[in-house]
Amino acid sequence: GFYKITPAPLTTISRRDTTTTTMNSGTGIQELMAAETRASQIVAEARIARGDRMKQAQVDADELIAAYRLEQQDAFDKKANADGGSGNNASAKLQAETNAEVQDMQGQFHQNAQKAVDVLLSKCCEVSLEVPSARIRSTQKIYGK
């Protein structure tokens, strides 16, 4: 047959006495605000210290770079002096190589200039007078013929 379902009884939840917690919350809020102030001071001090460390690291890096640059410049000067004295010999050799390469490139240019002109002219003069069928069909659709 039929079963009768009865709802469960409602229970009430009792609350603690709030008068003691409000008195404690006043001092708790003050303690929380003091802790927050101290935390912000710590963060500010940490930022300042970080900035100081970054500045010192930059100074140290600049000193290392200057020392390395001086070391490399000395090594280069010693090698340049050992190779040919003042370097005029090396400079003259480099200038001669550069001039030879420029002469070679100019020769290649003059040798291939007419070929390039011929290719360009042949492509310009090749005109196809046939209209592709796809172009004819698209034009017919546009003008409705």
Side-chain angles (χ1 to χ4, degrees):
F2 295 115
Y3 295 102
K4 187 174 186 181
I5 299 174
T6 58
L10 296 175
T11 58
T12 58
I13 301 171
S14 64
R15 296 185 180 203
R16 288 190 285 165
D17 188 15
T18 57
T19 56
T20 58
T21 57
T22 54
M23 289 180 11
N24 291 337
S25 68
T27 56
I29 290 174
Q30 289 175 350
E31 290 174 6
L32 196 65
M33 290 175 67
E36 184 179 351
T37 303
R38 181 66 187 136
S40 65
Q41 289 173 347
I42 291 171
V43 168
E45 291 170 3
R47 283 187 182 140
I48 291 170
R50 179 176 174 256
D52 292 344
R53 285 193 311 270
M54 292 294 284
K55 288 176 187 174
Q56 185 60 43
Q58 183 65 43
V59 168
D60 293 345
D62 289 342
E63 290 173 2
L64 283 172
I65 290 169
Y68 182 75
R69 181 176 285 137
L70 183 63
E71 178 185 322
Q72 293 299 312
Q73 185 65 42
D74 289 343
F76 176 77
D77 291 343
K78 287 178 185 176
K79 183 167 174 39
N81 288 336
D83 286 346
S86 63
N88 287 338
N89 188 23
S91 176
K93 183 180 177 184
L94 180 62
Q95 186 65 38
E97 289 176 3
T98 303
N99 288 339
E101 288 179 9
V102 167
Q103 291 290 333
D104 185 42
M105 282 188 252
Q106 286 177 343
Q108 288 177 2
F109 170 77
H110 291 297
Q111 185 179 16
N112 294 321
Q114 190 57 47
K115 291 178 188 175
V117 169
D118 292 342
V119 168
L120 290 172
L121 286 175
S122 71
K123 294 300 176 184
C124 291
C125 295
E126 287 179 11
V127 177
S128 174
L129 298 177
E130 292 184 28
V131 178
S133 60
R135 173 70 66 155
I136 293 171
R137 284 193 303 271
S138 67
T139 305
Q140 289 173 345
K141 286 181 183 176
I142 292 172
Y143 293 109
K145 292 184 180 182

